[in-house]
Amino acid sequence: MRHITSTYIENLVVFKQQLLQWSQQFDDVVWMDSNQYDARYSSYDAILAVDAFMSIKTDYVHAFEKLQEFQESTKDWIFGYLTYDVKNGLEQLKSSNFDGLEFSDVCFFQPKRLFLIKGNQLEIQYLNMVDDEVESDLAEIASLQRLDSVSKTHPVKIKLRIHKDAYFEKVNSMLAHIHRGDIYEANFCQEFYAEDAEINPLDTFENLNSVSKPPFATFLKHYDKFLMSASPERYIKKEGQTIISQPIKGTAKRAADVIEDEQLKHDLEHNEKERSENIMIVDLVRNDLSKTAIKGSVNVEELCKVYSFPQVHQMISTVTSKILDTLSPIDVLKTTFPMGSMTGAPKLSAMKIIEDLEESKRGLYSGTVGYFTPEGDFDFNVVIRSILYNQSKKYVSYSVGSAITSKSNPASEYEECLIKAKAMRDVLEG
């Protein structure tokens, strides 16, 4: 059972900083921040879950069945992630590429302490075993002074897992598959990394979040492993019987000049290649949602709408469906995972070709982080625009990708990857 109380936040910006700083004493942390964006679909502006009471950590074998058992047994809030490689338990697939990060495939926990922020209202939910610590925790949080980079991030030298010429060759190989009819589209990704790297994860996240201000910003800590994410993309949300998926396909850079920036946005809106990328994935999402939807309930609410973020313009579509209330929430995840925007179409063929051409195991990159409510609702992002860190191994990584279609030009795709990587590289290299 949970003890629930609420209070008013005087200074939201300061309180968020204090709350995140306070959370670092715990081994398990999930912080999700909408940056006050996309209020139509967001249940909360920010959520912090810390201090695991019960948890599950497993590989991809029967991952969804194990997660369902954990979710149904707790009947409570649970937070965590699924890596991209959980796909291997759904189809005859593998993940044999280099893995410098070593995240487990699945990790979820039931938090003892939970903070839910909506506007300036803070709802606090503590498990009964720690409910007598609410006041002392709030006093400790309020007493914290925000310190500027107590643990300095050392200079990080970024390396490329795939160099430019090799990237061009691999994209041309992908195009050959497309021209043969093996696939219509595939998301091809490349890793940038640093070895022997020491960074301050919280400072790195706050810097990344401040320059990107995305709707699905996430800070995740599991002992020595960290995710610092500036994700702009929702994978999937369940609210009652309604399912919402918001795939992103189509990216353009921003410009300081207002007229030039508007032209870039206009050009993206009317770019035939970018629209075709998005529409292919919308069709894939519609097909995935139809597996659990009430007949006739799958609906495209927005198609190829361009949204502007501090770093980039993005083309986003919104697809919804209705499900029977007797359906397990895990079934919705299992029939849609991995998300179409990070795989391609047809999904299975695309995933096989991706594995052959990429050089790094994706792991948590292009996986998902999110939560389940006690009622079985959920909300999950897509782990992109993210820095990952294994503190024990001193290994830092971020990956970026783009959708390859018959209209793709390798040089243009490479440029798109660099645009997406800019914020992460700037934060790490200073």
Side-chain angles (χ1 to χ4, degrees):
M1 295 293 290
R2 287 192 174 273
H3 171 82
I4 302 173
T5 187
S6 60
T7 188
Y8 181 81
I9 304 170
E10 293 286 345
N11 187 321
L12 189 59
V13 173
V14 171
F15 180 75
K16 282 183 177 181
Q17 291 178 335
Q18 292 170 322
L19 194 60
L20 263 173
Q21 187 180 346
W22 171 81
S23 73
Q24 299 309 293
Q25 65 187 283
F26 300 102
D27 293 323
D28 289 283
V29 178
V30 172
W31 165 258
M32 307 188 78
D33 191 349
S34 73
N35 287 295
Q36 280 73 55
Y37 198 90
D38 194 27
R40 257 188 319 163
Y41 299 111
S42 293
S43 301
Y44 302 97
D45 293 331
I47 300 179
L48 175 69
V50 298
D51 195 12
F53 173 51
M54 291 196 297
S55 63
I56 176 176
K57 186 162 72 170
T58 185
D59 61 17
Y60 63 80
V61 180
H62 302 305
F64 286 101
E65 290 75 12
K66 294 172 186 175
L67 178 58
Q68 180 166 337
E69 182 181 342
F70 183 65
Q71 187 259 333
E72 291 178 349
S73 65
T74 59
K75 292 185 174 60
D76 192 16
W77 293 87
I78 59 172
F79 290 75
Y81 68 78
L82 299 165
T83 67
Y84 172 78
D85 308 287
V86 171
K87 68 183 173 57
N88 300 337
L90 298 173
E91 302 282 358
Q92 291 296 310
L93 295 166
K94 60 181 181 178
S95 296
S96 302
N97 291 323
F98 173 77
D99 179 14
L101 290 161
E102 299 179 354
F103 279 68
S104 59
D105 291 337
V106 179
C107 184
F108 278 82
F109 71 97
Q110 178 188 12
K112 294 179 187 176
R113 297 162 163 86
L114 181 61
F115 299 80
L116 306 164
I117 298 172
K118 188 75 171 177
N120 286 87
Q121 293 296 320
L122 170 65
E123 180 180 318
I124 304 163
Q125 296 193 19
Y126 274 35
L127 288 180
N128 285 348
M129 67 181 68
V130 293
D131 66 356
D132 59 341
E133 299 176 31
V134 173
E135 295 303 324
S136 60
D137 283 351
L138 286 175
E140 183 182 347
I141 292 164
S143 70
L144 291 173
Q145 299 295 315
R146 182 67 188 130
L147 302 175
D148 293 326
S149 298
V150 173
S151 176
K152 292 286 185 183
T153 293
H154 295 202
V156 173
K157 179 62 176 175
I158 300 298
K159 301 177 184 178
L160 288 72
R161 185 68 60 190
I162 302 173
H163 288 275
K164 191 173 182 178
D165 289 346
Y167 176 86
F168 284 5
E169 289 177 10
K170 287 172 179 290
V171 171
N172 283 324
S173 296
M174 190 80 77
L175 286 167
H177 281 289
I178 292 170
H179 295 147
R180 280 199 300 268
D182 301 333
I183 50 172
Y184 305 110
E185 175 179 349
N187 192 278
F188 177 58
C189 301
Q190 56 178 317
E191 183 193 19
F192 298 79
Y193 68 99
E195 298 167 305
D196 197 27
E198 295 183 30
I199 67 171
N200 181 315
L202 183 56
D203 285 351
T204 301
F205 168 73
E206 291 187 329
N207 290 337
L208 184 62
N209 191 36
S210 68
V211 299
S212 300
K213 294 183 171 60
F216 300 100
T218 302
F219 178 88
L220 180 145
K221 173 186 178 185
H222 178 62
Y223 290 87
D224 63 338
K225 296 178 179 65
F226 295 84
L227 166 73
M228 297 141 275
S229 177
S231 174
E233 184 172 1
R234 170 179 278 123
Y235 158 39
I236 198 164
K237 178 175 183 177
K238 177 181 179 292
E239 193 167 38
Q241 290 179 268
T242 301
I243 305 298
I244 303 158
S245 184
Q246 294 182 286
I248 290 179
K249 272 287 161 274
T251 304
K253 65 182 179 180
R254 299 294 307 266
D257 180 78
V258 174
I259 295 174
E260 182 185 354
D261 193 56
E262 280 300 314
Q263 186 62 48
L264 289 166
K265 182 178 179 181
H266 177 272
D267 291 347
L268 177 58
E269 287 174 336
H270 297 87
N271 186 301
E272 182 184 345
K273 172 188 174 291
E274 303 283 10
R275 290 184 68 87
S276 67
E277 284 181 15
N278 196 295
I279 290 166
M280 282 186 212
I281 299 306
V282 166
D283 285 344
L284 190 155
V285 170
R286 289 174 62 209
N287 181 64
D288 282 351
L289 291 186
S290 70
K291 295 170 185 174
T292 56
I294 295 171
K295 189 174 181 180
S297 70
V298 179
N299 181 48
V300 181
E301 292 193 0
E302 284 182 344
L303 184 64
C304 300
K305 182 170 180 180
V306 174
Y307 289 82
S308 298
F309 301 94
Q311 299 289 319
V312 290
H313 300 294
Q314 297 278 196
M315 188 180 284
I316 305 175
S317 294
T318 300
V319 188
T320 62
S321 67
K322 297 284 186 181
I323 61 170
L324 294 171
D325 55 12
T326 54
L327 194 70
S328 161
I330 307 298
D331 288 335
V332 180
L333 291 178
K334 186 175 181 179
T335 52
T336 58
F337 192 83
M339 62 291 300
S341 62
M342 296 306 296
T343 52
K347 188 186 278 189
L348 179 57
S349 296
M351 287 190 290
K352 289 178 178 178
I353 294 166
I354 284 167
E355 173 67 20
D356 288 340
L357 290 175
E358 291 181 356
E359 295 288 339
S360 305
K361 180 179 176 180
R362 288 193 181 181
L364 187 49
Y365 170 70
S366 77
T368 184
V369 174
Y371 63 85
F372 293 87
T373 71
E375 297 75 31
D377 288 341
F378 57 70
D379 201 1
F380 286 88
N381 70 4
V382 179
V383 179
I384 53 175
R385 317 295 160 80
S386 301
I387 298 168
L388 293 131
Y389 184 41
N390 183 318
Q391 195 170 45
S392 298
K393 291 184 65 180
K394 299 183 180 180
Y395 188 89
V396 175
S397 168
Y398 62 88
S399 295
V400 291
S402 66
I404 310 302
T405 70
S406 62
K407 300 180 189 302
S408 290
N409 173 278
S412 299
E413 300 298 336
Y414 192 76
E415 180 65 27
E416 180 178 325
C417 287
L418 295 183
I419 291 168
K420 292 174 177 175
K422 184 178 186 302
M424 294 171 291
R425 185 159 201 156
D426 288 350
V427 165
L428 287 171
E429 291 191 335

